[in-house]
Amino acid sequence: MGIIKAAVQAMSGGLADQWLETIEPYEMGEHTVLTEGIPVRRGQNKKGTAQTISNGSVIRVYDNQFMMLVDGGKIVDYTAEPGYYTVDNSSMPSMFDGNLGNAVKETFDRLRFGGQTPRNQKVYYVNLQEIKGIKFGTRNPVSYFDNFYNAELFLRAHGTYSIRITDPIRFYAEAVPRNASRVEIEDINEQYMNEFLEGLQASINQMSADGIRISYVPSKSIELSRYMADAMDESWRSMRGIEIQSVAIASVSYDEESKNLIQMRNQGAMMSDPSVREGYVQGAFARSMEKAAANPNGAMAGFMGMNLGMNAAGSAMNSASAVNLSQMQMNQQKEAAAKAEKEQKDVWTCSCGTENTGNFCSNCGSKKPAPKQGWTCSCGTENTGNFCSNCGAKRPETGSWTCSCGTQNQGKFCSNCGKARP
């Protein structure tokens, strides 16, 4: 028993109506991984049994579908090429691999699916499209050592992932429940989800080992997909004929202790800036003034209490402000020194944004622009632009000269008094 690809001319002519029945796939949604073929009776063949596909019947295959002809529970023929196929009970299997290559044929040979006495003939379709939007969520917090925070943090991740069936015969043999006529990914996802979450934890740990900051995890979907493929594809491909296509993390949350550690680290980073520290000190003082003014016993009592506290803590605040001021001054001096060093090295910025010291840009190769020549206006102001910064007079044309009578000229003789150019 096998299938023969039908001629296009036959389908477009009257012969199409003479076939005994046409097998069409049952409705296949975006999460459907397998569905049974449904016979549409033709002509006078209205008494055929549901367990038999009549010789000469037509099976239709659409894009991104893998059709299997099953006889007595055994796959006797298949195709991954879209088109029309006629059933020939006397032919040998034709096995149209389509774009799946030799992998499916090798699986067919290895699992030794072959013809048996016709008892129960069926057609099944496997979805070859990417199965998207499979939701996942970590049940327990996953450990993540972050080098930036230098701490062991714990996160929960939620999102979606997608798979693709790359070896439909192996998938049918290993993943599809027996005698199932329609299978959604949710019907078989419990076991896969447990394995997926194990692979997810291993992948997240690998991201940690590679030094990716924990706050960057949600934006690293491409990298996470690669980690997951390394962790899962080999076993899933060899065991069930499926591969992970992509992983998208929608949200990442931290346990309470990790939140506190991250907050403490971020606050410490901010307070290392002396200007932030000084702002905090001044803000604390201002808030104290506001509370004193709003004292229910009267503003005077509030300010008296504040003065007592300030006398006790005033020296500490003054000392903190002095330290902050000293560090801000040191930072300003460092910035000034860096600027002076930059100017001393004759650093110039290319139009592409790269800073250079040589005559050509190290990034795009553009030549260093020639320095603008300065000029002295008649008002005595030194300028480099095209107009005087003091009086607005236009820059004299190149090669001009000023006569002793005060007239600016271009030629060899003064246009006012006729004197020769000195």
Side-chain angles (χ1 to χ4, degrees):
M1 182 176 181
I3 55 174
I4 301 174
K5 195 165 188 178
V8 177
Q9 291 82 357
M11 287 306 302
S12 61
L15 291 177
D17 294 330
Q18 299 178 18
W19 277 313
L20 300 178
E21 61 190 19
T22 300
I23 308 297
E24 294 275 347
Y26 190 69
E27 180 181 354
M28 183 174 284
E30 61 179 7
H31 278 193
T32 305
V33 293
L34 178 135
T35 187
E36 189 177 1
I38 303 298
V40 180
R41 302 296 179 182
R42 298 279 185 175
Q44 301 301 318
N45 183 30
K46 300 182 183 298
K47 298 181 180 180
T49 63
Q51 290 78 23
T52 302
I53 300 174
S54 303
N55 190 33
S57 297
V58 175
I59 301 174
R60 185 171 184 177
V61 182
Y62 294 88
D63 288 331
N64 290 317
Q65 289 182 342
F66 180 88
M67 186 276 293
M68 297 178 294
L69 184 58
V70 179
D71 190 350
K74 298 292 186 178
I75 301 175
V76 296
D77 209 347
Y78 63 83
T79 181
E81 297 179 9
Y84 295 91
Y85 297 85
T86 58
V87 177
D88 187 350
N89 287 332
S90 62
S91 71
M92 295 296 291
S94 52
M95 295 176 292
F96 297 96
D97 295 318
N99 59 1
L100 293 175
N102 294 325
V104 174
K105 186 176 184 302
E106 291 175 0
T107 301
F108 182 89
D109 294 336
R110 188 161 53 251
L111 297 179
R112 298 184 182 278
F113 286 140
Q116 288 202 353
T117 303
R119 295 177 182 174
N120 190 359
Q121 299 169 345
K122 290 185 178 181
V123 173
Y124 291 104
Y125 295 86
V126 177
N127 191 353
L128 297 183
Q129 284 186 322
E130 183 181 5
I131 309 298
K132 303 176 182 177
I134 308 173
K135 296 181 180 180
F136 72 87
T138 55
R139 299 183 181 91
N140 301 309
V142 178
S143 63
Y144 195 103
F145 183 84
D146 193 300
N147 291 322
F148 178 79
Y149 293 107
N150 194 28
E152 188 81 25
L153 306 176
F154 294 86
L155 62 83
R156 287 185 174 91
H158 296 81
T160 59
Y161 73 98
S162 66
I163 64 170
R164 188 186 297 275
I165 300 172
T166 57
D167 192 337
I169 293 179
R170 184 172 296 280
F171 178 78
Y172 173 76
E174 301 296 339
V176 175
R178 295 301 91 188
N179 302 320
S181 59
R182 181 181 174 86
V183 179
E184 302 288 326
I185 188 63
E186 289 78 10
D187 298 333
I188 57 176
N189 195 39
E190 183 177 357
Q191 174 65 29
Y192 301 149
M193 181 58 68
N194 293 331
E195 297 177 7
F196 175 86
L197 292 177
E198 289 180 4
L200 178 65
Q201 179 165 349
S203 300
I204 289 178
N205 290 338
Q206 186 59 49
M207 293 176 70
S208 168
D210 290 347
I212 297 176
R213 281 182 57 178
I214 195 170
S215 57
Y216 295 164
V217 171
S219 63
K220 297 293 183 180
S221 295
I222 296 178
E223 290 85 346
L224 184 57
S225 299
R226 188 179 69 249
Y227 288 123
M228 288 296 295
D230 294 340
M232 303 296 299
D233 275 357
E234 186 59 35
S235 60
W236 276 19
R237 187 189 303 113
S238 60
M239 292 171 59
R240 303 183 182 94
I242 57 178
E243 293 180 357
I244 291 178
Q245 292 293 292
S246 64
V247 180
I249 294 182
S251 63
V252 170
S253 60
Y254 312 110
D255 67 351
E256 199 61 32
E257 185 176 354
S258 297
K259 287 181 182 178
N260 294 335
L261 286 172
I262 292 173
Q263 185 177 10
M264 181 178 64
R265 173 65 174 79
N266 291 340
Q267 288 178 346
M270 290 183 62
M271 296 302 288
S272 64
D273 186 334
S275 60
V276 174
R277 288 201 308 271
E278 183 60 20
Y280 181 82
V281 170
Q282 299 300 329
F285 182 80
R287 288 189 294 272
S288 299
M289 294 285 288
E290 291 176 355
K291 290 181 179 179
N295 192 302
N297 297 322
M300 182 60 67
F303 283 116
M304 289 178 63
M306 178 183 169
N307 287 332
L308 291 175
M310 289 295 295
N311 289 333
S315 59
M317 293 183 64
N318 291 335
S319 176
S321 293
V323 172
N324 294 336
L325 179 61
S326 175
Q327 289 191 2
M328 285 188 286
Q329 291 175 345
M330 290 177 61
N331 290 341
Q332 292 175 354
Q333 292 174 358
K334 289 180 180 179
E335 292 175 359
K339 183 178 179 181
E341 183 180 2
K342 179 179 177 180
E343 292 176 352
Q344 186 178 4
K345 290 182 178 180
D346 192 20
V347 177
W348 58 279
T349 304
C350 179
S351 57
C352 69
T354 306
E355 291 187 346
N356 305 276
T357 56
N359 292 325
F360 295 91
C361 177
S362 60
N363 181 42
C364 65
S366 298
K367 187 177 181 180
K368 177 181 179 180
K372 294 183 178 180
Q373 298 294 330
W375 59 281
T376 303
C377 180
S378 57
C379 70
T381 306
E382 294 285 340
N383 302 279
T384 56
N386 292 325
F387 295 90
C388 178
S389 60
N390 181 45
C391 64
K394 187 177 180 180
R395 179 176 182 170
E397 298 293 336
T398 304
S400 63
W401 58 281
T402 303
C403 181
S404 58
C405 68
T407 305
Q408 290 186 345
N409 304 277
Q410 292 291 333
K412 295 182 179 180
F413 297 93
C414 178
S415 59
N416 180 43
C417 64
K419 288 184 180 179
R421 180 173 183 171

